[in-house]
Amino acid sequence: MKTNRTVTSFFDKEYLEYARYVVENRAIPSCIDGLKPTQRKVVYIANKIWKTGNEKPMKLFQLAGRVAAEAFYHHGNTSLESSMVGMAQKFKNSLPLLQGVGQFGSLRSPAAGAPRYISAKLHPNFRLLYQDFDLLENKIEEGEKIEPAFFLPIVPTVILNGTSGIAVGFATNILNRNPKDVVDACISTLNDKKMKVLAPWIEEFKGTFTRDLENPKTWKIKGQHQIINTTTVKITAIPPNYTYERYEEILNLLMEKGVITSYDDNSSETIEYILKFRRSVLTNLVSSEGKLERALRLNTQETENLTTIDENGELKIFDKAEDIVKHFVSVRLEWYQTRKDYLIDKTEKQLSLVTNKARFIKDIIDGKLKINNVPKKTIIKTTYNNKSITMETYQFCINEDCRTACKAENETNAWLWFSGIKKLSVKKLKTLYTIKQKPQL
């Protein structure tokens, strides 16, 4: 049966739902953990696979299969593998979350090998940056636990490793920062001091980033050059968006136009181009400020788009990277209070467990509790009369059925059952009293 639909109703319903899905679940990163949902699924599964860090790396196509199956990734392996390559590339991340093995490219030659040939494992950086996993609540899909809504890093990783993405109606483009600068910015915020400007930083780039005074989201990027003599210029840094091939195309075009006569490429791990000019041409280029840099395409600029998803799953757009730091610190401080409450509750439970162990042993040693050849009803009656120890504690020691009933919910009873009566001694009692007096957070 056909129904009439208007374009407006389509945009108001199906397209709106699609737009929200792309924004929230595909293209925009979290301002808390700096990850897009795909990346979060990858590190969630990687954290389960590489528990000690000593496990062997896994081929990317194999890891992609594990992520798709166990974290319910629904968008095909090509996108997933591409995301994993980006997470392992050192030149794209100040602190990579995956440790690549094989050809993952470089800043000037970014193409990586095929996923069936290159491998990766969880990088130690992940557990260095992300903490408090016990506080997180996992999402549920098809009855199974998957990754949480966000992880909890100790610094705002969204500006540490940078990211980019295009969604419906929104886009994000965040540049990398130096880890030391990000840490200093967090400390300044905690101390209520003015933080320094968080300029972008790429480890392999030796040029400079300067903020545009009129638009704080725009950064002017300058390469580096040195005038050797009246006919020679040495280039030691080119803008990070240029590959070797792309910049050599520019140099070849300059040769065709007669701007330079020749050039030598001495680049290996660092940039080094030696350019030859006619004396009159070079004299003219250095006669006014910036003319030579413009001719050699050493100046460029990039505008950041600081669009993120906040801790409540809502879009949040920032004006400056420094604002992200302030927001992150305020949110993270609340989680530190949550962790404090969690540790206090955990310690109180441990204290209660140790106390019940000590009471149980002491009652047996003091003769208050007899369990050998004593009917179950008598022990239960004794339990009722002894307010310091619960009935379940005694019951568990004599009734094997309680082992199934209590399981892991009652740690005290579990300990009493599995420890064995033969281990209950005055020495053990003294040990428990020592533990009780020194609870560990």
Side-chain angles (χ1 to χ4, degrees):
M1 180 178 177
K2 293 184 179 181
T3 57
N4 293 327
R5 291 289 305 279
T6 63
V7 174
T8 301
S9 67
F10 170 77
F11 277 103
D12 287 344
K13 294 181 181 179
E14 288 88 347
Y15 190 73
L16 180 59
E17 292 177 1
Y18 167 75
R20 285 176 175 170
Y21 176 80
V22 173
V23 169
E24 297 173 0
N25 297 285
R26 294 297 301 275
I28 307 299
S30 165
C31 66
I32 305 302
D33 65 10
L35 301 173
K36 298 178 184 178
T38 300
Q39 296 170 323
R40 195 172 298 112
K41 288 180 181 293
V42 171
V43 294
Y44 172 70
I45 297 301
N47 192 40
K48 294 170 63 176
I49 296 173
W50 288 281
K51 296 180 179 179
T52 66
N54 297 322
E55 297 86 352
K56 294 181 179 179
M58 183 181 293
K59 296 293 185 183
L60 286 197
F61 80 95
Q62 295 174 317
L63 179 57
R66 289 285 298 271
V67 174
E70 297 179 28
F72 295 90
Y73 181 77
H74 304 297
H75 304 288
N77 279 14
T78 301
S79 176
L80 185 55
E81 291 163 355
S82 176
S83 179
M84 290 189 291
V85 168
M87 295 171 70
Q89 289 178 318
K90 295 180 180 179
F91 61 94
K92 285 187 177 180
N93 302 276
S94 300
L95 291 175
L97 301 181
L98 293 182
Q99 187 172 357
V101 179
Q103 177 53 262
F104 278 83
S106 65
L107 179 63
R108 305 304 175 186
S109 182
R116 62 182 178 276
Y117 298 128
I118 56 178
S119 306
K121 62 187 294 187
L122 187 69
H123 201 290
N125 289 337
F126 177 73
R127 295 192 179 106
L128 174 68
L129 290 170
Y130 295 86
Q131 304 290 329
D132 298 332
F133 299 102
D134 292 340
L135 306 181
L136 301 173
E137 183 177 351
N138 293 73
K139 296 189 292 186
I140 303 295
E141 185 162 344
E142 297 183 18
E144 300 290 338
K145 285 185 178 181
I146 56 174
E147 76 283 353
F150 53 82
F151 289 103
L152 291 172
I154 56 177
V155 294
T157 50
V158 69
I159 61 172
L160 185 67
N161 286 333
T163 187
S164 62
I166 299 176
V168 178
F170 296 93
T172 186
N173 182 39
I174 303 175
L175 301 178
N176 296 24
R177 263 69 182 183
N178 190 319
K180 293 181 180 180
D181 292 342
V182 175
V183 171
D184 289 342
C186 291
I187 294 174
S188 296
T189 303
L190 288 170
N191 293 330
D192 199 23
K193 294 182 179 179
K194 183 179 180 181
M195 73 177 76
K196 297 179 180 178
V197 174
L198 282 171
W201 177 83
I202 299 175
E203 186 174 6
E204 297 181 25
F205 177 59
K206 305 306 179 185
T208 61
F209 289 89
T210 305
R211 174 171 275 164
D212 189 327
L213 298 179
E214 296 181 358
N215 183 2
K217 293 184 179 181
T218 298
W219 295 92
K220 296 179 180 179
I221 307 171
K222 290 186 178 181
Q224 291 183 338
H225 71 282
Q226 180 182 355
I227 300 176
I228 305 300
N229 54 44
T230 57
T231 61
T232 308
V233 173
K234 180 167 71 173
I235 296 176
T236 56
I238 58 178
N241 59 322
Y242 287 149
T243 63
Y244 286 122
E245 293 179 358
R246 173 63 184 134
Y247 195 68
E248 287 172 11
E249 289 177 1
I250 293 173
L251 294 179
N252 291 332
L253 184 61
L254 292 176
M255 286 180 61
E256 293 177 6
K257 293 181 177 180
V259 177
I260 62 176
T261 57
S262 65
Y263 70 90
D264 294 324
D265 181 7
N266 299 328
S267 304
S268 55
E269 295 182 359
T270 58
I271 297 292
E272 185 178 311
Y273 289 102
I274 305 299
L275 278 54
K276 292 294 184 179
F277 294 78
R278 286 193 296 273
R279 185 173 285 104
S280 59
V281 173
L282 185 55
T283 301
N284 178 56
L285 289 173
V286 299
S287 62
S288 59
E289 185 179 357
K291 191 173 182 180
L292 178 61
E293 291 85 349
R294 289 192 296 272
L296 299 179
R297 305 284 184 87
L298 294 181
N299 294 347
T300 184
Q301 68 179 31
E302 187 156 359
T303 299
E304 290 189 289
N305 193 343
L306 306 175
T307 303
T308 64
I309 301 293
D310 68 9
E311 66 278 8
N312 300 314
E314 303 293 334
L315 268 174
K316 190 171 185 64
I317 302 174
F318 296 91
D319 293 326
K320 298 184 296 183
E322 293 83 354
D323 295 336
I324 293 180
V325 174
K326 294 176 182 178
H327 178 78
F328 172 85
V329 169
S330 65
V331 173
R332 194 63 173 92
L333 280 175
E334 294 178 1
W335 280 97
Y336 282 124
Q337 181 61 47
T338 302
R339 181 176 71 177
K340 179 181 177 181
D341 296 339
Y342 168 79
L343 291 175
I344 290 174
D345 181 65
K346 182 179 178 181
T347 303
E348 288 176 346
K349 289 180 179 178
Q350 291 175 341
L351 183 60
S352 175
L353 174 62
V354 171
T355 300
N356 283 324
K357 289 178 182 180
R359 287 174 176 174
F360 181 77
I361 297 174
K362 190 174 186 303
D363 278 6
I364 293 179
I365 293 174
D366 294 345
K368 294 181 180 179
L369 175 63
K370 295 181 180 180
I371 61 175
N372 292 331
N373 300 319
V374 177
K376 176 180 176 181
K377 292 182 178 180
T378 302
I379 296 180
I380 293 175
K381 183 178 179 180
T382 304
T383 301
Y384 277 123
N385 295 331
N386 190 337
K387 302 299 183 182
S388 63
I389 302 178
T390 62
M391 178 183 68
E392 289 79 7
T393 299
Y394 292 124
Q395 271 192 309
F396 197 88
C397 300
I398 61 168
N399 186 357
E400 186 172 0
D401 294 337
C402 289
R403 177 182 179 184
T404 302
C406 296
K407 293 184 179 178
E409 285 83 2
N410 192 320
E411 294 185 39
T412 300
N413 292 344
W415 178 84
L416 295 175
W417 175 261
F418 291 106
S419 62
I421 300 301
K422 64 181 181 180
K423 295 182 181 179
L424 308 182
S425 62
V426 173
K427 181 178 180 181
K428 181 66 176 178
L429 179 62
K430 291 181 179 179
T431 301
L432 291 172
Y433 277 137
T434 302
I435 296 174
K436 180 181 176 182
Q437 292 169 3
K438 297 180 179 180
Q440 299 294 319
L441 281 178

